[in-house]
Amino acid sequence: MPNPRGIHADVQVLASDITRLSGLEHTTFDFVPRSQRHPSGLGTAPVNGAAKLYVGLWFEAPLDKFRVVLRCVGNWLDRTAEKYSFEVKIPSAQAIAQQIDQADVKNPPAYTITLATNQAKKLAELLPLGEALLPPQELYLTKAKDYVNTFGELTPAARANLLLMRHRMGLASEETSDLNARAMGPFKTLGDKYQHFRRELLVCKQESDLDSELWQVMQAKAETMSLPEADTQFLKAERLSTLRQEADRVRQQREAEAEAERQRYREQRQRLDHYRHAFVGLVTDALVPLNLAPDAAQFRQAMMAQLSGAEFNRGRLIQAREFYNLSPQEADALEKTVLDELYLLSGLL
């Protein structure tokens, strides 16, 4: 006789396995209590202090997960010796259309397949039967969307498989072209998605943006575009590389500007030092005894008049200023400093 507690544990394991499937993370499950044939709600409360045991599981899986769910259940069957009963409910074309139009999401399915087995191979036989009962247009669209969600576009291999499906289902070429366009959405190719997502990524102005809540928003946009995770991560790495290159260019530019400023400063100091040496030579050559000057300003005035008095000295002064490329302000400031020092050293105070 089957062990109810063992069945209960097996059902819990199956529910856990299915919820881990991609795209089924938010699937709602109803556990079937041992005392009932049909589910009465998720998580039945304990009765008389003892929790009810669950012997079954009910849930709705989207059409594009029909194969992957059965494969998961088949793997689960391989790990248990118990025999289980399965009911696969196939919605009618009208029910699907109403669900798409959001007119009535509770329309009952048109077909029910029941199978009792503990062999995964037997369960797999439901695939062709179940798919044969599905509306051909919806099954084709589901498969096309599955390809788009996986690869980001309808690859040549995907189109070849869809072409075989089209012939097997007897669909018209114009009909499948429209279904392919619906599967792709507003983007014609994966390249179009790349281009659009790159533009979206321009809002990320620094590296930290790619590890913040902003990146979660970008991931949500990628999902709405059916951009595969691998491609999303590639574009993220591409943007990160661009931001780092831009940061390096800014840093190198600032370093170059700082070095250029330091070089200009060094050259300026050299020109001033050279002119100072030349000006001291000019003053020394032209220096003659002067009457006592009452202050440094009059001393400077007298010395400059003495330098400018002789045409030869005046020419040397102008030539030195031009040679060392000094502005009038720079030359005046340096000459004032030299003459003030000479005034102090002359003992005229």
Side-chain angles (χ1 to χ4, degrees):
M1 182 176 180
N3 181 357
R5 295 190 179 279
I7 296 176
H8 175 84
D10 283 347
V11 170
Q12 297 286 345
V13 170
L14 176 60
S16 177
D17 288 346
I18 294 176
T19 53
R20 285 197 293 266
L21 294 175
S22 176
L24 292 175
E25 299 87 350
H26 304 294
T27 301
T28 300
F29 292 89
D30 282 338
F31 291 97
V32 181
R34 180 186 178 193
S35 60
Q36 297 182 14
R37 182 178 180 182
H38 299 290
S40 60
L42 179 64
T44 303
V47 177
N48 297 327
K52 288 187 177 182
L53 295 177
Y54 300 116
V55 295
L57 184 66
W58 179 94
F59 64 95
E60 285 188 3
L63 290 177
D64 60 332
K65 301 299 179 183
F66 186 60
R67 284 179 173 269
V68 70
V69 168
L70 283 187
R71 188 178 302 116
C72 177
V73 176
N75 293 337
W76 172 77
L77 271 179
D78 287 337
R79 302 194 299 269
T80 179
E82 299 292 347
K83 193 172 187 179
Y84 288 89
S85 176
F86 298 93
E87 284 188 358
V88 179
K89 297 181 179 181
I90 309 298
S92 65
Q94 179 184 6
I96 292 175
Q98 289 176 337
Q99 291 178 18
I100 293 174
D101 296 336
Q102 298 182 348
D104 183 8
V105 297
K106 296 183 179 180
N107 195 297
Y111 309 101
T112 301
I113 306 172
T114 303
L115 174 67
T117 184
N118 60 355
Q119 298 181 14
K121 187 180 296 184
K122 290 290 185 181
L123 188 64
E125 292 176 358
L126 290 179
L127 279 172
L129 177 59
E131 290 184 346
L133 294 175
L134 290 170
Q137 294 84 357
E138 188 61 29
L139 183 59
Y140 182 96
L141 180 60
T142 297
K143 180 60 66 176
K145 286 182 177 179
D146 191 37
Y147 283 135
V148 172
N149 290 334
T150 302
F151 305 110
E153 65 179 349
L154 295 177
T155 63
R159 289 184 179 276
N161 289 338
L162 290 173
L163 181 61
L164 293 175
M165 182 179 288
R166 183 197 114 196
H167 289 304
R168 188 172 73 247
M169 295 179 172
L171 298 174
S173 175
E174 297 79 6
E175 193 172 17
T176 55
S177 294
D178 178 64
L179 293 172
N180 289 344
R182 287 174 59 188
M184 279 299 299
F187 305 98
K188 302 297 182 183
T189 65
L190 182 60
D192 292 340
K193 294 182 180 181
Y194 266 47
Q195 185 177 4
H196 179 81
F197 196 66
R198 284 190 177 110
R199 288 197 298 266
E200 294 286 333
L201 280 174
L202 292 178
V203 301
C204 299
K205 302 297 185 182
Q206 51 192 1
E207 291 185 35
S208 59
D209 291 340
L210 297 174
D211 292 313
S212 64
E213 293 182 359
L214 178 57
W215 175 243
Q216 296 178 10
V217 174
M218 300 308 301
Q219 284 182 307
K221 290 183 178 181
E223 290 178 5
T224 62
M225 295 167 53
S226 295
L227 187 64
E229 177 64 19
D231 298 88
T232 304
Q233 292 298 325
F234 169 79
L235 293 173
K236 175 184 179 181
E238 183 182 72
R239 180 59 179 165
L240 181 61
S241 176
T242 299
L243 289 174
R244 286 175 176 172
Q245 290 175 6
E246 291 175 353
D248 285 342
R249 282 197 295 269
V250 170
R251 177 181 55 79
Q252 292 172 3
Q253 181 179 358
R254 289 176 178 172
E255 290 177 352
E257 291 174 351
E259 178 57 30
E261 184 62 28
R262 288 192 293 270
Q263 181 63 26
R264 284 193 295 270
Y265 177 78
R266 287 193 294 267
E267 293 175 353
Q268 177 71 356
R269 293 309 309 170
Q270 289 176 352
R271 288 187 290 109
L272 290 172
D273 289 343
H274 291 158
Y275 180 69
R276 177 189 180 93
H277 180 75
F279 183 71
V280 169
L282 287 172
V283 171
T284 302
D285 292 343
L287 189 63
V288 295
L290 295 172
N291 295 327
L292 183 64
D295 55 36
Q298 294 189 29
F299 177 80
R300 289 196 305 272
Q301 184 178 4
M303 285 301 303
M304 292 305 297
Q306 188 169 310
L307 279 175
S308 302
E311 184 177 350
F312 176 74
N313 288 336
R314 185 169 62 251
R316 291 174 64 193
L317 180 63
I318 295 173
Q319 185 180 33
R321 287 177 173 178
E322 293 176 350
F323 180 79
Y324 293 111
N325 193 27
L326 296 182
S327 67
Q329 295 80 7
E330 290 174 325
D332 290 343
L334 189 144
E335 292 164 1
K336 176 181 181 300
T337 300
V338 171
L339 293 176
D340 285 348
E341 291 174 356
L342 183 59
Y343 175 74
L344 293 174
L345 294 174
S346 65
L348 297 177
L349 291 175

